[in-house]
Amino acid sequence: MTDQELMDRARTMLRFSYAPYSHFPVGAALLCTDGSVFTGCNMENSSYGDTICAERTAVAKAVSEGHRDDFLRLAIAGTSRDFCWPCGSCRQVLWEFAPELEILCTNAAGEIIRFPLRQLLPHGFGPKSLKQD
Ligand code: THU
C-alpha cells in the first residue's frame, strides 16, 4: 500500500470524528505487515480528559483484533493548514508496540511527510525499560 493510499484511508475517517468541543477532527490509519489496515478517529467527551485520539483508537482496534507486533506505518490526517502531529500520549502508546513504526503526516496542501517514531520520541520508555537486569 502506498503512502498516499494509507493517507487516503486516514482522511476518510475524518467524517466519523466526534469532536464537538475542539472542532478539530483527526483521522488515522494503521498498516500492519499482512496488509491489514486499522482505522480510527478522535472521540471527544464532555469530560474533556476522557477524549481519545484518532491514533489510539486505531491502535486499540488493532490490538483487540490480535495485532500487536506487526505495525508498519501509521497515517494521520487533520483538517488544519499545518501537519497534524501525533500528541505525546499517542507517541508513548505507539512506542509500546512498535518503536520502529513509520509515521506519515499530511497538511492542507496534501503534502505527506514521513518520520520514524524513534525520531519523534527519542529515548522512549517501553517494555524493555522495565527489565531489571
Ligand atoms: N487529537 C488526535 O486525535 N490526535 C493527535 O495526535 C492530536 C490530537 C485530537 C484530540 C482532540 O479530540 C483534538 O484532536 C484536539 O486536541
Side-chain angles (χ1 to χ4, degrees):
M1 175 171 280
T2 65
D3 288 357
Q4 185 64 59
E5 285 168 341
L6 191 62
M7 189 56 79
D8 289 345
R9 294 289 302 271
R11 201 170 281 113
T12 299
M13 295 306 289
L14 289 169
R15 76 176 75 137
F16 299 122
S17 162
Y18 177 70
Y21 308 108
S22 71
H23 304 288
F24 191 89
V26 183
L30 176 65
L31 175 67
C32 297
T33 50
D34 68 353
S36 50
V37 175
F38 295 90
T39 54
C41 62
N42 53 337
M43 185 182 76
E44 299 188 345
N45 192 276
S46 46
S47 176
Y48 299 164
D50 289 330
T51 289
I52 303 175
C53 289
E55 301 91 313
R56 275 178 282 157
T57 304
V59 169
K61 284 169 70 176
V63 171
S64 61
E65 296 287 331
H67 289 261
R68 190 186 288 172
D69 49 18
D70 59 344
F71 298 175
L72 264 187
R73 256 179 294 151
L74 172 80
I76 307 165
T79 56
S80 58
R81 210 153 58 89
D82 194 10
F83 294 97
C84 181
W85 298 100
C87 77
S89 299
C90 288
R91 294 178 198 203
Q92 177 65 32
V93 167
L94 292 165
W95 183 268
E96 179 77 15
F97 299 107
E100 305 307 328
L101 191 70
E102 294 283 320
I103 308 282
L104 307 176
C105 301
T106 192
N107 60 8
E111 295 168 287
I112 295 176
I113 47 173
R114 186 199 271 245
F115 280 90
L117 178 59
R118 266 192 194 285
Q119 199 173 325
L120 298 179
L121 188 69
H123 307 290
F125 186 91
K128 285 188 187 144
S129 314
L130 291 173
K131 299 264 189 291
Q132 298 286 353
D133 38 80

mmCIF file with all atom_site columns, all heavy atoms in Angstrom, residues 120-133:
data_model
loop_
_atom_site.group_PDB
_atom_site.id
_atom_site.type_symbol
_atom_site.label_atom_id
_atom_site.label_alt_id
_atom_site.label_comp_id
_atom_site.label_asym_id
_atom_site.label_entity_id
_atom_site.label_seq_id
_atom_site.pdbx_PDB_ins_code
_atom_site.Cartn_x
_atom_site.Cartn_y
_atom_site.Cartn_z
_atom_site.occupancy
_atom_site.B_iso_or_equiv
_atom_site.pdbx_formal_charge
_atom_site.auth_seq_id
_atom_site.auth_comp_id
_atom_site.auth_asym_id
_atom_site.auth_atom_id
_atom_site.pdbx_PDB_model_num
ATOM 1   N N   . LEU A 1 120 ? 10.550 10.904 16.633 1.00 0.00 ? 120 LEU A N   1
ATOM 2   C CA  . LEU A 1 120 ? 9.529  11.723 17.300 1.00 0.00 ? 120 LEU A CA  1
ATOM 3   C C   . LEU A 1 120 ? 9.501  11.480 18.804 1.00 0.00 ? 120 LEU A C   1
ATOM 4   O O   . LEU A 1 120 ? 8.987  12.297 19.569 1.00 0.00 ? 120 LEU A O   1
ATOM 5   C CB  . LEU A 1 120 ? 8.142  11.431 16.712 1.00 0.00 ? 120 LEU A CB  1
ATOM 6   C CG  . LEU A 1 120 ? 7.952  11.739 15.230 1.00 0.00 ? 120 LEU A CG  1
ATOM 7   C CD1 . LEU A 1 120 ? 6.540  11.367 14.792 1.00 0.00 ? 120 LEU A CD1 1
ATOM 8   C CD2 . LEU A 1 120 ? 8.211  13.210 14.944 1.00 0.00 ? 120 LEU A CD2 1
ATOM 9   N N   . LEU A 1 121 ? 10.035 10.337 19.216 1.00 0.00 ? 121 LEU A N   1
ATOM 10  C CA  . LEU A 1 121 ? 10.068 10.010 20.645 1.00 0.00 ? 121 LEU A CA  1
ATOM 11  C C   . LEU A 1 121 ? 11.442 9.440  20.996 1.00 0.00 ? 121 LEU A C   1
ATOM 12  O O   . LEU A 1 121 ? 11.607 8.230  21.172 1.00 0.00 ? 121 LEU A O   1
ATOM 13  C CB  . LEU A 1 121 ? 8.970  8.997  20.997 1.00 0.00 ? 121 LEU A CB  1
ATOM 14  C CG  . LEU A 1 121 ? 8.782  8.719  22.495 1.00 0.00 ? 121 LEU A CG  1
ATOM 15  C CD1 . LEU A 1 121 ? 8.210  9.937  23.206 1.00 0.00 ? 121 LEU A CD1 1
ATOM 16  C CD2 . LEU A 1 121 ? 7.856  7.521  22.709 1.00 0.00 ? 121 LEU A CD2 1
ATOM 17  N N   . PRO A 1 122 ? 12.436 10.307 21.090 1.00 0.00 ? 122 PRO A N   1
ATOM 18  C CA  . PRO A 1 122 ? 13.789 9.820  21.384 1.00 0.00 ? 122 PRO A CA  1
ATOM 19  C C   . PRO A 1 122 ? 13.851 9.247  22.799 1.00 0.00 ? 122 PRO A C   1
ATOM 20  O O   . PRO A 1 122 ? 13.198 9.758  23.708 1.00 0.00 ? 122 PRO A O   1
ATOM 21  C CB  . PRO A 1 122 ? 14.672 11.067 21.279 1.00 0.00 ? 122 PRO A CB  1
ATOM 22  C CG  . PRO A 1 122 ? 13.818 12.144 20.711 1.00 0.00 ? 122 PRO A CG  1
ATOM 23  C CD  . PRO A 1 122 ? 12.392 11.762 20.959 1.00 0.00 ? 122 PRO A CD  1
ATOM 24  N N   . HIS A 1 123 ? 14.619 8.196  22.954 1.00 0.00 ? 123 HIS A N   1
ATOM 25  C CA  . HIS A 1 123 ? 14.818 7.564  24.273 1.00 0.00 ? 123 HIS A CA  1
ATOM 26  C C   . HIS A 1 123 ? 13.479 7.215  24.918 1.00 0.00 ? 123 HIS A C   1
ATOM 27  O O   . HIS A 1 123 ? 13.248 7.482  26.099 1.00 0.00 ? 123 HIS A O   1
ATOM 28  C CB  . HIS A 1 123 ? 15.628 8.472  25.205 1.00 0.00 ? 123 HIS A CB  1
ATOM 29  C CG  . HIS A 1 123 ? 16.919 8.929  24.606 1.00 0.00 ? 123 HIS A CG  1
ATOM 30  N ND1 . HIS A 1 123 ? 17.977 8.074  24.398 1.00 0.00 ? 123 HIS A ND1 1
ATOM 31  C CD2 . HIS A 1 123 ? 17.317 10.143 24.138 1.00 0.00 ? 123 HIS A CD2 1
ATOM 32  C CE1 . HIS A 1 123 ? 18.979 8.744  23.835 1.00 0.00 ? 123 HIS A CE1 1
ATOM 33  N NE2 . HIS A 1 123 ? 18.606 10.002 23.658 1.00 0.00 ? 123 HIS A NE2 1
ATOM 34  N N   . GLY A 1 124 ? 12.575 6.650  24.137 1.00 0.00 ? 124 GLY A N   1
ATOM 35  C CA  . GLY A 1 124 ? 11.248 6.309  24.658 1.00 0.00 ? 124 GLY A CA  1
ATOM 36  C C   . GLY A 1 124 ? 11.314 5.283  25.782 1.00 0.00 ? 124 GLY A C   1
ATOM 37  O O   . GLY A 1 124 ? 12.200 4.417  25.816 1.00 0.00 ? 124 GLY A O   1
ATOM 38  N N   . PHE A 1 125 ? 10.354 5.381  26.675 1.00 0.00 ? 125 PHE A N   1
ATOM 39  C CA  . PHE A 1 125 ? 10.223 4.411  27.764 1.00 0.00 ? 125 PHE A CA  1
ATOM 40  C C   . PHE A 1 125 ? 9.268  3.331  27.302 1.00 0.00 ? 125 PHE A C   1
ATOM 41  O O   . PHE A 1 125 ? 8.130  3.620  26.897 1.00 0.00 ? 125 PHE A O   1
ATOM 42  C CB  . PHE A 1 125 ? 9.661  5.099  29.015 1.00 0.00 ? 125 PHE A CB  1
ATOM 43  C CG  . PHE A 1 125 ? 9.616  4.209  30.232 1.00 0.00 ? 125 PHE A CG  1
ATOM 44  C CD1 . PHE A 1 125 ? 10.682 4.156  31.117 1.00 0.00 ? 125 PHE A CD1 1
ATOM 45  C CD2 . PHE A 1 125 ? 8.502  3.419  30.479 1.00 0.00 ? 125 PHE A CD2 1
ATOM 46  C CE1 . PHE A 1 125 ? 10.639 3.326  32.230 1.00 0.00 ? 125 PHE A CE1 1
ATOM 47  C CE2 . PHE A 1 125 ? 8.447  2.589  31.595 1.00 0.00 ? 125 PHE A CE2 1
ATOM 48  C CZ  . PHE A 1 125 ? 9.524  2.543  32.476 1.00 0.00 ? 125 PHE A CZ  1
ATOM 49  N N   . GLY A 1 126 ? 9.716  2.067  27.364 1.00 0.00 ? 126 GLY A N   1
ATOM 50  C CA  . GLY A 1 126 ? 8.865  0.980  26.883 1.00 0.00 ? 126 GLY A CA  1
ATOM 51  C C   . GLY A 1 126 ? 9.035  -0.280 27.698 1.00 0.00 ? 126 GLY A C   1
ATOM 52  O O   . GLY A 1 126 ? 9.673  -0.259 28.758 1.00 0.00 ? 126 GLY A O   1
ATOM 53  N N   . PRO A 1 127 ? 8.489  -1.393 27.207 1.00 0.00 ? 127 PRO A N   1
ATOM 54  C CA  . PRO A 1 127 ? 8.548  -2.652 27.948 1.00 0.00 ? 127 PRO A CA  1
ATOM 55  C C   . PRO A 1 127 ? 9.967  -3.023 28.375 1.00 0.00 ? 127 PRO A C   1
ATOM 56  O O   . PRO A 1 127 ? 10.179 -3.512 29.484 1.00 0.00 ? 127 PRO A O   1
ATOM 57  C CB  . PRO A 1 127 ? 7.995  -3.676 26.953 1.00 0.00 ? 127 PRO A CB  1
ATOM 58  C CG  . PRO A 1 127 ? 7.130  -2.888 26.033 1.00 0.00 ? 127 PRO A CG  1
ATOM 59  C CD  . PRO A 1 127 ? 7.742  -1.525 25.950 1.00 0.00 ? 127 PRO A CD  1
ATOM 60  N N   . LYS A 1 128 ? 10.941 -2.759 27.495 1.00 0.00 ? 128 LYS A N   1
ATOM 61  C CA  . LYS A 1 128 ? 12.327 -3.116 27.820 1.00 0.00 ? 128 LYS A CA  1
ATOM 62  C C   . LYS A 1 128 ? 12.851 -2.311 29.001 1.00 0.00 ? 128 LYS A C   1
ATOM 63  O O   . LYS A 1 128 ? 13.718 -2.758 29.746 1.00 0.00 ? 128 LYS A O   1
ATOM 64  C CB  . LYS A 1 128 ? 13.234 -2.877 26.608 1.00 0.00 ? 128 LYS A CB  1
ATOM 65  C CG  . LYS A 1 128 ? 13.093 -3.925 25.531 1.00 0.00 ? 128 LYS A CG  1
ATOM 66  C CD  . LYS A 1 128 ? 14.157 -3.723 24.455 1.00 0.00 ? 128 LYS A CD  1
ATOM 67  C CE  . LYS A 1 128 ? 13.894 -4.663 23.298 1.00 0.00 ? 128 LYS A CE  1
ATOM 68  N NZ  . LYS A 1 128 ? 14.226 -4.066 22.002 1.00 0.00 ? 128 LYS A NZ  1
ATOM 69  N N   . SER A 1 129 ? 12.344 -1.109 29.161 1.00 0.00 ? 129 SER A N   1
ATOM 70  C CA  . SER A 1 129 ? 12.809 -0.238 30.247 1.00 0.00 ? 129 SER A CA  1
ATOM 71  C C   . SER A 1 129 ? 12.467 -0.824 31.609 1.00 0.00 ? 129 SER A C   1
ATOM 72  O O   . SER A 1 129 ? 13.078 -0.478 32.621 1.00 0.00 ? 129 SER A O   1
ATOM 73  C CB  . SER A 1 129 ? 12.149 1.142  30.138 1.00 0.00 ? 129 SER A CB  1
ATOM 74  O OG  . SER A 1 129 ? 12.185 1.613  28.825 1.00 0.00 ? 129 SER A OG  1
ATOM 75  N N   . LEU A 1 130 ? 11.470 -1.704 31.662 1.00 0.00 ? 130 LEU A N   1
ATOM 76  C CA  . LEU A 1 130 ? 11.025 -2.269 32.939 1.00 0.00 ? 130 LEU A CA  1
ATOM 77  C C   . LEU A 1 130 ? 11.848 -3.476 33.370 1.00 0.00 ? 130 LEU A C   1
ATOM 78  O O   . LEU A 1 130 ? 11.720 -3.946 34.496 1.00 0.00 ? 130 LEU A O   1
ATOM 79  C CB  . LEU A 1 130 ? 9.542  -2.676 32.856 1.00 0.00 ? 130 LEU A CB  1
ATOM 80  C CG  . LEU A 1 130 ? 8.550  -1.528 32.762 1.00 0.00 ? 130 LEU A CG  1
ATOM 81  C CD1 . LEU A 1 130 ? 7.145  -2.051 32.504 1.00 0.00 ? 130 LEU A CD1 1
ATOM 82  C CD2 . LEU A 1 130 ? 8.572  -0.696 34.038 1.00 0.00 ? 130 LEU A CD2 1
ATOM 83  N N   . LYS A 1 131 ? 12.692 -3.961 32.450 1.00 0.00 ? 131 LYS A N   1
ATOM 84  C CA  . LYS A 1 131 ? 13.539 -5.122 32.794 1.00 0.00 ? 131 LYS A CA  1
ATOM 85  C C   . LYS A 1 131 ? 14.571 -4.675 33.831 1.00 0.00 ? 131 LYS A C   1
ATOM 86  O O   . LYS A 1 131 ? 15.245 -3.670 33.660 1.00 0.00 ? 131 LYS A O   1
ATOM 87  C CB  . LYS A 1 131 ? 14.247 -5.656 31.544 1.00 0.00 ? 131 LYS A CB  1
ATOM 88  C CG  . LYS A 1 131 ? 13.291 -6.138 30.464 1.00 0.00 ? 131 LYS A CG  1
ATOM 89  C CD  . LYS A 1 131 ? 13.076 -7.646 30.564 1.00 0.00 ? 131 LYS A CD  1
ATOM 90  C CE  . LYS A 1 131 ? 12.309 -8.196 29.400 1.00 0.00 ? 131 LYS A CE  1
ATOM 91  N NZ  . LYS A 1 131 ? 10.899 -7.820 29.306 1.00 0.00 ? 131 LYS A NZ  1
ATOM 92  N N   . GLN A 1 132 ? 14.696 -5.475 34.880 1.00 0.00 ? 132 GLN A N   1
ATOM 93  C CA  . GLN A 1 132 ? 15.583 -5.095 35.987 1.00 0.00 ? 132 GLN A CA  1
ATOM 94  C C   . GLN A 1 132 ? 17.045 -5.413 35.691 1.00 0.00 ? 132 GLN A C   1
ATOM 95  O O   . GLN A 1 132 ? 17.940 -4.755 36.189 1.00 0.00 ? 132 GLN A O   1
ATOM 96  C CB  . GLN A 1 132 ? 15.163 -5.832 37.273 1.00 0.00 ? 132 GLN A CB  1
ATOM 97  C CG  . GLN A 1 132 ? 13.759 -5.506 37.746 1.00 0.00 ? 132 GLN A CG  1
ATOM 98  C CD  . GLN A 1 132 ? 13.666 -4.118 38.364 1.00 0.00 ? 132 GLN A CD  1
ATOM 99  O OE1 . GLN A 1 132 ? 14.656 -3.443 38.561 1.00 0.00 ? 132 GLN A OE1 1
ATOM 100 N NE2 . GLN A 1 132 ? 12.447 -3.679 38.659 1.00 0.00 ? 132 GLN A NE2 1
ATOM 101 N N   . ASP A 1 133 ? 17.289 -6.479 34.860 1.00 0.00 ? 133 ASP A N   1
ATOM 102 C CA  . ASP A 1 133 ? 18.682 -6.885 34.641 1.00 0.00 ? 133 ASP A CA  1
ATOM 103 C C   . ASP A 1 133 ? 19.197 -6.481 33.275 1.00 0.00 ? 133 ASP A C   1
ATOM 104 O O   . ASP A 1 133 ? 18.514 -5.978 32.445 1.00 0.00 ? 133 ASP A O   1
ATOM 105 C CB  . ASP A 1 133 ? 18.789 -8.420 34.800 1.00 0.00 ? 133 ASP A CB  1
ATOM 106 C CG  . ASP A 1 133 ? 17.583 -9.139 34.216 1.00 0.00 ? 133 ASP A CG  1
ATOM 107 O OD1 . ASP A 1 133 ? 17.537 -9.320 32.977 1.00 0.00 ? 133 ASP A OD1 1
ATOM 108 O OD2 . ASP A 1 133 ? 16.687 -9.507 34.978 1.00 0.00 ? 133 ASP A OD2 1
#
